[in-house]
Amino acid sequence: MPWLKNYLVISISAVPLLMQKMKEDFGQNLLFLSSDKGGKRRTGISGLNKKRIDSFRIELSPPKTTLKGKVIGVIDDILETGGTLSKFYDYAEKSGAKKTIALITHGPLDKGIKRIKNKFPKLYLTNTVNTKKANVDIADLIAKAIKISFK
């Protein structure tokens, strides 16, 4: 793609913004975990190991840190069925987590959002997908990235 050499490609992540929103509401003493290995690869934040059995069934294995008594922010890149986050929530509760909060970049399916909202006490969801449930605006994040790319 020779035309691409004339353009600056910038990767934008909403994860720091989601984490900041949670810190504003729940304080600084939080444990952030990725929902799976893909999240760990993209964010550098460790988490549970997930083995997908099929679209609706997964198995989770423990993280390297204790969850007991912690306020946890679980970070997921995309919420479709809500299966991974639902299982994560159950695991965190069984492990003695004080509170578990969901931080989600993309929420394309209302069914998954509804499933998670019924379980988690708080959900942070960006507006990358047009949904009424979104409560974290990424417009400034994108505007800053565009501004940087034209300098």
Side-chain angles (χ1 to χ4, degrees):
M1 294 184 229
W3 57 269
L4 190 57
K5 69 180 181 181
N6 296 324
Y7 295 94
L8 176 63
V9 177
I10 296 175
S11 177
I12 302 171
S13 175
V15 171
L17 179 60
L18 290 164
M19 292 169 71
Q20 183 57 43
K21 294 290 185 184
M22 185 173 168
K23 287 176 183 177
E24 288 170 7
D25 292 344
F26 292 93
Q28 298 296 314
N29 192 18
L30 307 170
L31 174 62
F32 291 102
L33 295 172
S34 291
S35 62
D36 55 31
K37 284 192 288 187
K40 180 181 179 183
R41 187 181 65 251
R42 284 184 297 280
T43 65
I45 298 169
S46 65
L48 299 176
N49 291 315
K50 175 178 79 172
K51 179 182 175 186
R52 183 168 294 285
I53 298 164
D54 58 36
S55 294
F56 296 94
R57 296 182 306 148
I58 62 167
E59 291 177 356
L60 298 175
S61 59
K64 294 178 180 171
T65 185
T66 182
L67 306 184
K68 189 173 184 172
K70 308 263 178 142
V71 177
I72 299 167
V74 57
I75 302 164
D76 203 354
D77 59 343
I78 190 161
L79 173 61
E80 292 176 337
T81 65
T84 298
L85 286 175
S86 182
K87 281 278 198 183
F88 188 104
Y89 181 87
D90 294 342
Y91 181 87
E93 289 296 301
K94 287 178 194 169
S95 299
K98 185 176 180 179
K99 191 173 290 194
T100 306
I101 309 299
L103 294 83
I104 302 157
T105 303
H106 310 290
L109 300 180
D110 285 336
K111 179 181 176 181
I113 295 170
K114 183 178 179 183
R115 181 177 186 186
I116 295 308
K117 281 192 83 69
N118 288 337
K119 194 166 252 198
F120 285 79
K122 178 80 175 172
L123 166 69
Y124 295 93
L125 175 64
T126 70
N127 61 346
T128 60
V129 176
N130 187 17
T131 176
K132 292 177 183 172
K133 306 283 192 283
N135 57 5
V136 177
D137 185 15
I138 62 161
D140 287 343
L141 189 63
I142 294 171
K144 286 176 188 171
I146 290 170
K147 211 174 191 182
I148 290 169
S149 68
F150 284 106
K151 283 188 176 181

